[in-house]
C-alpha cells in the first residue's frame, strides 16, 4: 500500500495550503507596511491565534469579540488575502503572517510579535492541523509517521521550521520586534500579557498598568475561553475546519514521537541552532528527547 502524503500548492519553491490564492501570496509580500501596523509573525502552530487574540483584546480594552465577529477577518493572514485587502484594513492594521523574515514586508517602526514554539510540539500540532483540513491537504487519514518525515525534511506548508525560526532569531532584539515563546506564555500568561501590552504601547500600556484589566485579558484569552468561543467565531467557516484551539499544552509530543523520531528532530534542532543562542530556547528539551544518548552531542 502506498503511503498518503499531504498535498500542497507549490509556488516559487514554496509550499502553501491548497486553495491559498497564489495572487495573495505574491502581492502580500509586496505590501508596503505603515508605521502603525502590528504583525503577528509565526511559523504555523506556534501560538499565532492566541497571540492575535491577546493583541486584539489589549487594543479593545479587554472587550471580547462579539457574536459574529471573526478574528481572521479583523486580523487576517497577509499571504492569504494579499496586498489590496490588507490595505483596506482600518488603522492600526492587524496582520498575521507565516512568512520567513526575508519575505515579510518590513517597516522599521511597524511592530512585529514573533512567537516561537518548540519544534516537537509544533510538529504534533501541525500534524493534527494537516489532517483536519482535507480541502487544504487531502490528508484526513494520514499517519503521524508520514507527517513527521515531511516536517523533519521541511517539506510542509510555509517551509522548514528551522529556516523560519532562524530567519527571525537575529532580529529578536530589534526595538520593533517582540520575541516570545509559547512555552513562556503558558508558564505565566499574565506576564506575557503585560509584556505584549508594553510593547504595543498607547492604549495597551494603560491595560498593563491595571491588574484587573490584565486579569481580564488573561481570562478572555485563556485556553478554556478561546476553546469554547472558537466555535462561535468560526460559525461561518466550513464544516471541515479543524480546531485552532486544540490541546494547548507543552510536552504533548511524547505521546507521538518514537525514540528514533525524537533523536532525528533533536539532531536537526542542534544542527540548526548550536552556537546561535537559540539552542537555549527550550532548556532540557534535547535531553528529554534523547535521554542519555551520547551520540547526540548536547
Ligand atoms: P495544540 O495543537 O498543541 O493544542 P496556531 O494558532 O499558531 O495555529 O497555534 C495553535 C496551537 O496553539 C494549538 O496547539 C492550540 O491549542 C494552541 N492555542 C490556541 N489558543 C491557545 C490558548 N488560549 N492558550 C494556549 N494554547 C492555545
Amino acid at each position: 500500500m502506498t503511503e498518503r502524503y499531504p498535498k500542497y500548492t507549490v509556488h516559487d519553491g514554496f509550499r502553501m495550503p491548497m486553495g491559498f490564492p497564489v495572487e495573495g501570496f505574491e502581492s502580500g509580500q509586496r505590501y508596503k507596511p505603515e508605521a502603525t501596523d502590528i504583525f503577528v509573525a509565526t511559523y504555523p502552530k506556534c501560538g499565532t491565534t492566541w497571540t492575535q487574540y491577546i493583541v486584539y483584546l489589549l487594543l479593545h480594552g479587554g472587550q471580547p469579540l462579539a457574536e459574529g465577529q471573526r478574528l481572521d477577518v479583523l486580523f487576517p493572514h497577509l499571504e492569504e488575502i494579499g496586498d489590496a485587502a490588507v490595505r483596506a484594513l482600518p488603522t492600526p492594521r492587524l496582520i498575521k503572517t507565516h512568512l520567513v523574515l526575508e519575505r515579510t514586508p518590513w517597516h522599521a517602526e511597524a511592530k512585529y510579535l514573533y512567537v516561537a514554539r518548540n519544534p516537537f510540539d509544533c510538529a504534533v500540532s501541525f500534524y493534527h492541523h494537516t489532517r483536519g483540513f482535507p480541502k487544504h491537504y487531502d490528508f484526513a487519514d494520514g499517519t503521524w509517521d508520514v507527517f513527521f518525515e515531511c516536517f523533519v525534511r521541511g517539506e510542509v506548508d510555509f517551509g522548514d521550521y528551522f529556516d523560519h525560526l532562524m530567519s527571525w532569531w537575529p532580529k529578536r532584539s530589534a526595538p520593533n520586534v517582540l520575541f516570545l515563546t509559547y512555552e513562556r506564555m503558558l508558564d505565566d500568561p499574565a506576564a506575557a500579557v503585560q509584556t505584549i501590552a508594553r510593547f504595543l504601547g498607547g492604549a495597551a500600556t494603560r491595560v498593563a498598568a491595571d491588574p484587573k484589566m490584565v486579569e481580564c485579558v488573561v481570562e478572555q484569552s485563556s485556553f478554556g475561553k478561546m476553546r469554547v468561543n472558537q466555535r462561535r467565531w468560526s460559525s461561518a467557516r466550513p464544516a471541515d475546519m479543524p480546531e485552532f484551539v486544540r490541546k494547548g499544552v507543552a510536552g504533548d509530543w511524547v505521546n507521538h514521537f518514537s525514540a528514533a523520531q525524537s533523536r532525528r528532530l533533536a539532531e536537526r534542532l542542534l544542527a540548526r541552532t548550536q552556537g546561535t543562542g537559540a539552542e537555549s530556547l527550550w532548556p532540557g528539551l534535547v535531553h528529554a528527547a534523547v535521554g542519555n544518548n551520547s551520540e547526540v552531542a548536547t
Side-chain angles (χ1 to χ4, degrees):
M1 199 181 100
T2 52
E3 294 276 29
R4 179 186 282 279
Y5 279 74
K7 296 199 185 106
Y8 302 99
T9 295
V10 183
H11 174 70
D12 193 15
F14 207 78
R15 284 181 174 75
M16 294 185 292
M18 289 190 297
F20 259 48
V22 165
E23 193 286 322
F25 176 77
E26 284 289 334
S27 75
Q29 294 176 67
R30 290 195 299 271
Y31 168 65
K32 298 261 175 295
E34 298 196 336
T36 49
D37 287 356
I38 299 168
F39 289 82
V40 167
T42 52
Y43 187 75
K45 313 319 291 175
C46 290
T48 327
T49 318
W50 186 16
T51 309
Q52 285 175 276
Y53 196 41
I54 292 174
V55 170
Y56 175 86
L57 288 166
L58 285 169
L59 297 178
H60 292 85
Q63 201 57 39
L65 284 176
E67 192 79 49
Q69 282 187 306
R70 291 174 57 189
L71 193 60
D72 61 349
V73 170
L74 297 165
F75 208 138
H77 191 169
L78 172 69
E79 58 272 27
E80 183 174 6
I81 68 165
D83 173 59
V86 171
R87 278 193 282 116
L89 290 171
T91 311
R93 293 176 184 153
L94 306 179
I95 304 164
K96 156 183 164 177
T97 182
H98 289 323
L99 295 172
V100 288
L101 176 76
E102 299 77 40
R103 289 181 184 265
T104 302
W106 185 258
H107 188 298
E109 287 163 59
K111 292 190 166 71
Y112 299 81
L113 292 94
Y114 185 85
V115 192
R117 185 182 194 185
N118 85 68
F120 290 73
D121 285 330
C122 173
V124 169
S125 185
F126 214 169
Y127 164 62
H128 289 291
H129 171 101
T130 305
R131 279 174 54 113
F133 269 115
K135 71 169 185 170
H136 285 324
Y137 307 104
D138 190 17
F139 192 63
D141 51 0
T143 66
W144 162 248
D145 287 347
V146 166
F147 185 79
F148 173 80
E149 278 307 313
C150 298
F151 183 86
V152 83
R153 293 188 205 149
E155 293 171 0
V156 290
D157 45 332
F158 302 102
D160 180 77
Y161 168 94
F162 296 99
D163 286 347
H164 199 281
L165 175 66
M166 297 319 293
S167 78
W168 281 90
W169 178 245
K171 277 275 190 218
R172 67 194 177 282
S173 305
N176 63 332
V177 173
L178 179 65
F179 193 98
L180 301 158
T181 69
Y182 177 82
E183 291 78 6
R184 268 184 263 137
M185 289 172 66
L186 270 186
D187 273 356
D188 193 343
V193 165
Q194 279 172 317
T195 305
I196 294 171
R198 281 191 218 100
F199 176 72
L200 294 176
T205 318
R206 288 194 288 283
V207 175
D210 179 347
K212 280 221 156 51
M213 285 298 289
V214 172
E215 206 180 298
C216 164
V217 172
V218 169
E219 167 65 12
Q220 291 301 336
S221 63
S222 66
F223 179 81
K225 268 254 161 35
M226 284 186 65
R227 189 167 161 80
V228 172
N229 284 333
Q230 71 177 336
R231 298 183 204 287
R232 281 197 322 164
W233 300 336
S234 64
S235 55
R237 289 173 173 170
D240 63 357
M241 173 81 190
E243 291 175 325
F244 268 69
V245 187
R246 186 187 65 93
K247 205 161 178 181
V249 297
D252 190 30
W253 64 270
V254 295
N255 300 314
H256 291 74
F257 278 66
S258 68
Q261 289 168 342
S262 303
R263 195 181 135 156
R264 271 187 64 205
L265 192 57
E267 281 171 351
R268 285 272 292 138
L269 173 61
L270 284 174
R272 292 301 304 270
T273 60
Q274 221 157 27
T276 66
E279 71 273 35
S280 314
L281 276 170
W282 298 284
L285 178 65
V286 170
H287 190 263
V290 298
N292 292 322
N293 189 331
S294 57
E295 284 170 41
V296 181
T298 55

